[in-house]
Structure formats: C-alpha cells, structure tokens
Amino acid sequence: MIQVSRACCPPPLHRPSSLPIDLRAALAVVIVAITVLRLAGLERLPVWHDEAHSLVRVLGYDNADLQRLSDGALLTPADLLRLQQPDAERGWPDTLHALAEHPEHAPLYYLLGHLSTRLPLDPVVALRGTAAVFGLLLPLAACWLMRELFGRGAVPWVAALLLAVSPMHLLYAQEARQYALWTVLLLAASAALLRALRRGQSRDWWLYGLLLTLGLYSHLLFIALLPVHALYGWLAGRAPLPVNRPGNRPGNRPENRPEKRQALAWVLAVATALLLFSPWLAVLLSALDSAAGHTQWMERAVGTQRILLAWAQHGVRAFVDPVPQAQAPAALLWLWLPLGIALAHSLWRAPLPQRWFLPLLALAGLGPVLGPDLLLGGSRSLHVRYGLPAILGLQLMVAWSLGTAITRAAGGRSGMGPADPAGAVAQTRGVPGLVPGLVLVLVLGLGLWSQARILLADTWWTKQFSAQNREIARLANAQPRPLVVASPSGITTGELLSLAHDLDARVRIRIQSGADQPLPASERDAIVLLLPGAEVRDALPPGYTVEPVAGTWQWFLAQPSADSPPIRPPGAPVAPSPGARLP
C-alpha cells in the first residue's frame, strides 16, 4: 500500500469557506443549463474533412474502401455517403483495422464512437454526441481541479463558469473528434494527482493511474502532461511550510516528508499507465512511416509572425468568438490587455506551490506545438486543437484572478496569503468591490453571445479548409447538369465526403485518374473542380476556362466562357490572396 504524506502537497495558505448553499445551487443550475447547449444542433454545422474521415474509420471502412472511389467511375453522393453509414457486416475487428491504419490518432474516442453509431441516430449526430457528452463534463473537471489547487470558495465556480460559456469548448464539444475527451482527461488526471498528493491514499493513486491510461488512449499529446506532473510534484515536495502555521519559520521544511515514497507512487502509476498503453504504442511504432506521412503537412513553414498572430487569436477566442471567419477582427486583440493583467496577477499573487501548476499546464500545450514551429518550421500553431492544454491553462489562471478578486471584494479570504488588514478589506467593499463581479458578468455575457452566434451559424472557422463546402455544394446543386471533378490528392476523398453530405442526388462526381476519360459536360455546363491537375484540365471540353472560387484555395469552377468572372458562393469571404494555401 502506497502511503504519501499530505505534507508533500501543502494546502493553500487560506482555504476560504464554501459559498452559501443557495448560491452554490444557483450556480450549479446556471452551469448545467449552459453546458446543455453542447447537445443543441449537433447536425447543424457542416461535416468537415477530418470528421468525414473519423466516420470512415469508426464505421470500419479502411484505405482500400477509399481507394475504390478513385477508379474513374462516375459516382453519386450516395456512393460516397455509403462510407458514412453503418454496415451491419462490419464490426469491431474492422474498426480496429481501420484505426491501425492511422495510428497517429489514439483510439479511445473512436472506439466509443463505434458504440454510439450503433444507436438509432444519424451517424454524424451520434459521433458528435459522443464528444458532447465529454464537453458536458469539462466544467465539472475544471471545478474539481481548481478546488484541489485552491480549496473551496469562488475560484472553482468561476472556473466552471468560464469553461461552460467558452465558445471554443462549445465548438470542440460538437465536433466528431477526440478533443473534448482529451481536455476532460487532462483536467481530471491533474485533479486526481493533486488529490493523491494531498490525501496519500492508495485508491487515489489507482484513480490517477486509470485516468492517465485513459488520457494516453485519448490523444498522443497527452504524454506531454507527464513531465508537468513530475515537475510539479518535485516543486511541491520542496515548498516551504506556510509561515502562518504555529512553530514554522520561513523556509522551514519538515524532516519527515516521504519524498521517495511520493516519487515511487507516481512512478508506479505512470509505469502502469504506459504498460497498459503499450499495445497501441506497438501499433504506432510498427506503422511509424505511415503516421509520419499523414502528419507531414504540419511541417509546412508559415512564418513566425503568422504563428504568433494565430496564438494571439486563439487566446482571445477562448473567451469571445463573434465571427465565423478564420481571421478574427483585429479589435479583439485588445482584449489581451485585461487578459495580461489577469495572468500577471495569477503568476505574482497565487499561493505557492499551487502557483506553478497552471503555467506548467499551459506549457504542456505550447511546448509540443509552438516549439517545433519556431525551431524547425511548421504550421501546427495555426490549429488551436493541438494546443488546447495551453488554452485551458490560460482560462484557469484568469478564473483564479477573477475568483480571488470577487472573494476579496466580498471581504473574504482568497488563498493569496495572510488576511488583509481591516482597512485593505474595507477599501474593496462598496462600488470598487462591484468591479470584479461586473467583469465576470461581462466575460460570461461575451461567451454566451458568441455561443448564440455559433448555434445560429451555417459554418464556423473550426471547420478549417472545409468551412465553405456547404456553399460549394449549393453552387454545384444550382447547375443544370451538376458535375464535380477532382484530381487525386491527399485531401480529395475527405473533401468529397464532406461535400457529399450537402449535394443533391442528381450530382455526379468523378476522381479523374487520367486525361483519356472525357467529362460528360456540354458547353453550357459549369463544372466544380477540386484541385484540378493536368489530367483534369486536359479532359475539359474546348473553350473552358478555370477560375478559383473566391474564399477557398482548393475549389475551382470551369466555365465555358473565357470572359466569365469567378463565381463566388453567397456569403463566402474574399480570398486573402490568389495563391493556393495548403492546409
């Protein structure tokens, strides 16, 4: 039995008393009501490239099934959507085989998704609903972690509220991918570690090991959390005892702290988790070249300025996200001024050793994403989904600053250190004391406003390069004899599967394998093209010109008149540059 002294993880210097039960009940109702929005409109936003591939693998279709689409035959949307619907003859072995072909994606979410698609639901709704269930748990996990860090009081509730109204977490809770599961397990495993350090009971360490195992199976980047936990445990074990305890002087440390037993407990939990994860690790190592090929697009250099601007937008969009375009309004970046103040307040005034945990959590998200982009070149930072731990760290530090400010304004103790003199507390009461509460209300209002816009929107920036596919489908559907033609490429099948969800049954689709295949079009038909290569352009009827569809880099329109301007789908943004921009 592993026993760890609770002295190795000192509690906050002051643990505020819990909020009144009526206020806690009211907050719980508000949080539940807001988080239930994650279950609303799961079918609304378009199915984008990655989600389409998620369905393919969850339902047990493999690369060979996708390859059959490229034999040059004319296809219907139903031919493509067959790979988005369950097949009674395909079961668990087929799903495992399909997942093993893409071992860069840990399998837990997809296996759970396989179960959900067996329910009498639309497969898209079922798979997105699986993510939404974990999105419902995210505020609860945040509340647990902040309570383990800073005790009872306003801080855990503010953390739960901020994550409940966050537009970014709403978006990823409604996406058929593993990110909602990953974020929940990041917070839950961290809270379980703090609980095990505080109580030192063997069952707490078993729970921590279990959550680590589930976390590793949720996302490969979960492994970046392990050094964070190790470093925090080491720092917490060497933290001086609080100076306000009787008989302690600044800098004193107890002689009986069982640091070796603490380290052994952690090592055993991590070793058990890694051992249980080893089967999938073996799959990954056996197909390392394939995994590297599927992630090679991340190595495309985009420039330091664009990387830093992307992170600036990610941080703001965690709190307010009013527009569906990938480029957020420049005015939103001014919100970094209050965010910076809140972060500085947390880094300077939060109690030790708890002060270190949330910045370390943020680094667990920044390090594997921003580090390679700056040092080696890459485009990982453009996709916030890979850096969600950094977003969580930012939001929780802001929650601590707001929660402690509200507590102090109410005349309570906030875990920041020795109690304020009566005069200092008195200065926070009255009108100045309303400021933290008003700031919280403003932040919650901006988040709810953003969520309302998302729930009413036809598309959003998290759909990446597929964000305009619904408009492209409308453009194709409007043609007299609609035809969609694609050249073989790394994104062809995913984009066509995404498009097929919104195409009319009369649309015909072809992946052109050679110029010797004539296109079934008359001179008055416009043809929608996906990354047309030489084999497609050579097969076009005489007199056709090819122009890019504004607002996209992969879609083009072939028209019979050389004088025809590019056709722009209604509502599509103007393309930032005429050059093609790969994902």
Side-chain angles (χ1 to χ4, degrees):
M1 301 291 287
I2 299 171
Q3 295 294 331
V4 180
S5 169
R6 68 183 61 187
C8 68
C9 187
L13 301 186
H14 290 285
R15 286 186 175 260
S17 59
S18 181
L19 299 177
I21 189 168
D22 54 345
L23 180 56
R24 281 184 285 163
L27 288 174
V29 169
V30 170
I31 292 169
V32 170
I34 294 172
T35 52
V36 165
L37 291 176
R38 284 150 168 74
L39 300 175
L42 292 174
E43 76 291 343
R44 189 193 64 266
L45 292 179
V47 178
W48 80 285
H49 178 280
D50 280 11
E51 290 182 298
H53 277 298
S54 292
L55 274 169
V56 168
R57 293 192 282 272
V58 162
L59 298 172
Y61 301 103
D62 57 16
N63 291 337
D65 294 305
L66 293 174
Q67 188 61 36
R68 293 189 189 98
L69 301 176
S70 303
D71 60 4
L74 276 179
L75 304 170
T76 66
D79 294 327
L80 292 168
L81 293 178
R82 179 182 62 82
L83 302 182
Q84 306 281 278
Q85 296 292 329
D87 183 346
E89 296 182 358
R90 295 177 186 260
W92 289 103
D94 302 288
T95 296
L96 288 171
H97 172 70
L99 293 175
E101 290 184 334
H102 292 265
E104 71 277 8
H105 296 292
L108 179 57
Y109 168 77
Y110 302 95
L111 295 176
L112 295 173
H114 180 86
L115 285 174
S116 68
T117 54
R118 300 298 173 178
L119 298 174
L121 296 171
D122 178 82
V124 173
V125 172
L127 200 53
R128 286 178 173 176
T130 304
V133 169
F134 297 109
L136 292 173
L137 298 176
L138 186 62
L140 179 62
C143 186
W144 181 23
L145 174 60
M146 297 300 274
R147 182 169 174 176
E148 290 292 337
L149 278 172
F150 304 109
R152 300 173 182 268
V155 170
W157 292 98
V158 172
L161 282 168
L162 289 187
L163 267 62
V165 303
S166 171
M168 186 172 291
H169 294 304
L170 170 68
L171 287 164
Y172 284 110
Q174 293 197 334
E175 184 163 306
R177 302 288 280 171
Q178 68 269 42
Y179 303 108
L181 173 62
W182 178 35
T183 52
V184 165
L185 290 173
L186 281 169
L187 298 186
S190 298
L193 170 68
L194 296 171
R195 181 184 177 92
L197 291 174
R198 176 172 59 84
R199 303 202 321 172
Q201 298 182 10
S202 59
R203 64 174 178 268
D204 295 324
W205 286 105
W206 281 111
L207 175 62
Y208 173 62
L210 173 63
L211 291 173
L212 283 185
T213 304
L214 295 176
L216 291 171
Y217 273 103
S218 70
H219 201 294
L220 295 184
L221 287 179
F222 186 90
I223 201 168
L225 193 66
L226 299 183
V228 169
H229 287 179
L231 182 57
Y232 178 77
W234 180 81
L235 292 171
R238 281 158 173 74
L241 287 178
V243 298
N244 62 321
R245 288 186 177 178
N248 288 336
R249 294 189 303 274
N252 279 2
R253 294 173 59 245
E255 298 297 331
N256 61 344
R257 281 188 177 174
E259 295 176 6
K260 291 183 179 180
R261 295 174 65 187
Q262 171 189 342
L264 178 61
W266 182 83
V267 168
L268 287 176
V270 171
T272 301
L274 291 174
L275 180 63
L276 294 173
F277 183 63
S278 61
W280 192 256
L281 189 60
V283 172
L284 177 62
L285 293 176
S286 66
L288 200 56
D289 290 341
S290 174
H294 293 314
T295 57
Q296 189 175 11
W297 61 269
M298 296 182 180
E299 300 174 4
R300 180 177 59 94
V302 296
T304 301
Q305 182 178 358
R306 189 175 173 195
I307 288 172
L308 297 179
L309 177 60
W311 275 107
Q313 293 181 339
H314 297 337
V316 171
R317 277 183 146 159
F319 299 92
V320 55
D321 189 5
V323 295
Q325 288 79 20
Q327 189 75 19
L332 285 183
L333 297 182
W334 284 100
L335 292 178
W336 269 106
L337 181 59
L339 287 178
I341 294 173
L343 293 180
H345 180 231
S346 174
L347 292 171
W348 184 254
R349 295 302 303 268
L352 292 172
Q354 292 84 349
R355 180 188 304 173
W356 297 317
F357 191 88
L358 297 179
L360 289 174
L361 177 64
L363 289 176
L366 281 175
V369 179
L370 182 59
D373 283 352
L374 294 179
L375 296 177
L376 305 176
S379 59
R380 302 163 189 83
S381 294
L382 302 185
H383 310 280
V384 67
R385 58 187 184 270
Y386 301 124
L388 284 173
I391 298 300
L392 288 171
L394 166 66
Q395 290 175 307
L396 295 181
M397 282 190 278
V398 171
W400 182 88
S401 293
L402 278 176
T404 53
I406 290 170
T407 302
R408 291 169 66 87
R413 295 181 177 181
S414 57
M416 295 173 58
D420 290 334
V425 173
Q427 290 176 5
T428 65
R429 293 175 175 162
V431 176
L434 293 176
V435 173
L438 292 176
V439 171
L440 177 61
V441 170
L442 176 61
V443 172
L444 298 180
L446 289 173
L448 286 172
W449 172 60
S450 301
Q451 289 192 354
R453 290 184 60 84
I454 292 169
L455 292 173
L456 296 174
D458 195 46
T459 189
W460 213 258
W461 60 270
T462 48
K463 301 309 175 183
Q464 301 292 327
F465 51 86
S466 303
Q468 298 301 325
N469 281 5
R470 186 164 284 170
E471 294 294 344
I472 298 297
R474 291 170 184 160
L475 178 61
N477 294 337
Q479 304 305 317
R481 281 171 292 275
L483 178 65
V484 177
V485 181
S487 290
S489 73
I491 72 163
T492 295
T493 54
E495 283 298 271
L496 291 179
L497 287 169
S498 166
L499 194 71
H501 284 272
D502 295 293
L503 289 176
D504 290 346
R506 61 193 184 89
V507 178
R508 293 299 175 263
I509 305 157
R510 170 181 284 171
I511 299 178
Q512 190 81 1
S513 56
D516 56 341
Q517 297 175 316
L519 296 178
S522 67
E523 292 187 358
R524 67 173 182 270
D525 288 326
I527 307 172
V528 176
L529 307 177
L530 174 60
L531 289 178
E535 66 278 354
V536 170
R537 293 174 184 265
D538 292 344
L540 289 172
Y544 269 64
T545 59
V546 177
E547 299 286 351
V549 176
T552 73
W553 55 265
Q554 75 274 39
W555 293 105
F556 295 76
L557 197 67
Q559 302 175 87
S561 173
D563 300 327
S564 299
I567 294 182
R568 178 172 177 261
V574 178
S577 64
R581 184 159 54 93
L582 294 177

